[in-house]
């Protein structure tokens, strides 16, 4: 009988949240009684397929240890100076017992839904191809710095979200090679694209926002409360 493919998760959570302009790194801001990181990990922990959830935090992180995690899959690993190096460190932390697939999800995206994550898992594991949650651009897109210089056709434009799900060995190799070549890597998909590997775009909810600036907090808290009341129905 074919053994089930193992899947592990990496959560980049080592950022400083400079755009949030807050006294603590944004992943530790509390919304509806839990930190953003706790909300995110609670969502991931509902994926029973995950064999490990490694959270990449800053080497001088003072907050992670204080958080009560009961899920034994959650482990702290050292992050890096950039998101990509945090993810690379996370990948390397799985090397002793490498999974077949690795799912990477931003700590700063607590609003992701289980349905969207399952849609990504279903596509990738069925087709044997890596992919990302993404949402099609809805607004008119302009190029320019102080004045609009050009309107960009948006029919083929997507906003990349997370989770992003790839074959573990392929992502590790692609990310190592891309970083060694000084490629600009802001998500796992860009490393796979650099390595000419396929990246399926799986449509996801546009309210799976990355909490980045202060005005995101009220929206995120409202949406988290909505999700909580729906799950309690
Ligand atoms: N060196 C870094 C930088 C970012 N991240 C993580 O990557 C995710 C997305 O990054 P971003 O939204 O840019 O977070 P910050 O880098 O903290 O934000 P800023 O750019 O405003 O400082 C976040 O969960 C963040 O914690 C990380 O693990 N390691
Ligand atoms: C990975 C990501 O969430 C995809 O949209 C995004 O790139 C992370 O934010 P950053 O500011 O680029 O680190």
């Amino acid at each position: 009988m074919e053994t089930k493919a193992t899947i592990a998760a990496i959560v980049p959570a080592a950022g400083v949240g400079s755009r949030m302009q807050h006294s603590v790194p944004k992943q530790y801001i509390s919304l509806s009684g839990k930190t953003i990181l706790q909300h995110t990990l609670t969502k991931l922990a509902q994926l029973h397929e995950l064999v490990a959830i490694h959270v990449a935090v800053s080497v001088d992180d003072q907050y992670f240890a204080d958080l009560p995690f009961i899920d034994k899959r959650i482990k702290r690993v050292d992050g890096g100076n950039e998101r990509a190096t945090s993810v690379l460190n996370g990948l390397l932390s799985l090397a002793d017992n490498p999974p077949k697939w690795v799912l990477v999800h931003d700590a700063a995206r607590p609003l992701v839904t289980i349905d969207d994550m399952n849609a990504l898992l279903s596509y990738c594991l069925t087709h044997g191809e890596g992919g990302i949650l993404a949402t099609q651009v809805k607004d008119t897109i302009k190029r320019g710095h102080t004045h609009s210089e050009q309107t960009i056709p948006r029919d083929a434009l997507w906003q990349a979200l997370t989770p992003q799900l790839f074959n573990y060995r392929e992502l590790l190799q692609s990310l190592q090679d891309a970083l060694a070549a000084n490629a600009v890597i802001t998500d796992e998909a860009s490393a796979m694209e650099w390595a000419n590997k396929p990246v399926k775009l799986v449509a996801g909810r546009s309210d799976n926002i990355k909490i980045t600036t202060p005005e995101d907090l009220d929206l995120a808290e409202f949406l988290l409360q909505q999700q909580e009341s729906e799950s309690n129905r």
Side-chain angles (χ1 to χ4, degrees), residues 5 33 35 39 52 63 82 92 97 122 134 167 187 201 205 216:
T35 64
H39 282 291
Y63 309 93
E82 302 294 330
L92 293 170
N97 188 13
S122 173
N167 172 282
D187 68 347
L201 295 165
R205 293 176 60 101
D216 295 329

Side-chain angles (χ1 to χ4, degrees), residues 18-213:
S18 57
R19 287 170 285 181
M20 185 56 79
Q21 299 168 326
H22 198 280
S23 56
V24 302
K26 64 185 180 184
Q27 56 272 32
Y28 295 112
I29 294 173
S30 274
L31 297 177
S32 298
K34 279 197 293 191
T35 64
I36 288 168
L37 177 59
Q38 284 171 293
H39 282 291
T40 299
L41 292 176
T42 300
K43 295 283 182 70
L44 285 177
Q46 293 178 53
L47 296 179
H48 301 300
E49 307 91 320
L50 298 179
V51 295
I53 302 171
H54 286 192
V55 186
V57 301
S58 170
V59 289
D60 50 16
D61 182 291
Q62 308 155 26
Y63 309 93
F64 185 83
D66 300 340
L67 299 180
F69 296 120
I70 50 172
D71 193 308
K72 297 286 176 257
R73 295 172 293 173
I74 295 171
K75 296 271 183 290
R76 171 186 180 148
V77 299
D78 286 347
N81 295 332
E82 302 294 330
R83 182 185 178 282
T85 45
S86 292
V87 172
L88 179 57
N89 288 352
L91 291 169
L92 293 170
S93 75
L94 295 167
D96 289 348
N97 188 13
K100 172 78 181 290
W101 294 89
V102 63
L103 180 141
V104 184
H105 183 59
D106 291 335
R109 290 185 189 269
L111 288 154
V112 65
T113 65
I114 306 306
D115 286 350
D116 273 7
M117 292 196 285
N118 282 330
L120 179 66
L121 285 162
S122 173
Y123 178 86
C124 294
L125 273 61
T126 303
H127 295 82
E129 186 178 71
I132 69 171
L133 286 180
T135 183
Q136 282 204 283
V137 164
K138 300 175 188 171
D139 302 315
T140 293
I141 300 296
K142 303 292 187 186
R143 184 190 297 281
H145 293 284
T146 58
H147 293 72
S148 176
E149 295 161 13
Q150 181 187 11
T151 295
I152 309 292
R154 67 178 180 215
D155 57 318
L157 291 185
W158 297 70
Q159 280 177 261
L161 307 170
T162 69
Q164 305 198 0
L165 178 61
F166 293 103
N167 172 282
Y168 171 80
R169 293 184 193 283
E170 284 186 9
L171 178 58
L172 176 56
Q173 189 63 60
S174 301
L175 189 53
Q176 285 175 320
D177 293 349
L179 291 175
N182 293 318
V184 175
I185 301 297
T186 56
D187 68 347
E188 291 60 69
S190 46
M192 299 301 278
E193 292 152 17
W194 184 90
N196 296 315
K197 304 279 185 192
V199 176
K200 176 69 177 176
L201 295 165
V202 177
R205 293 176 60 101
S206 58
D207 59 6
N208 172 13
I209 62 169
K210 180 167 67 74
I211 298 176
T212 306
T213 49

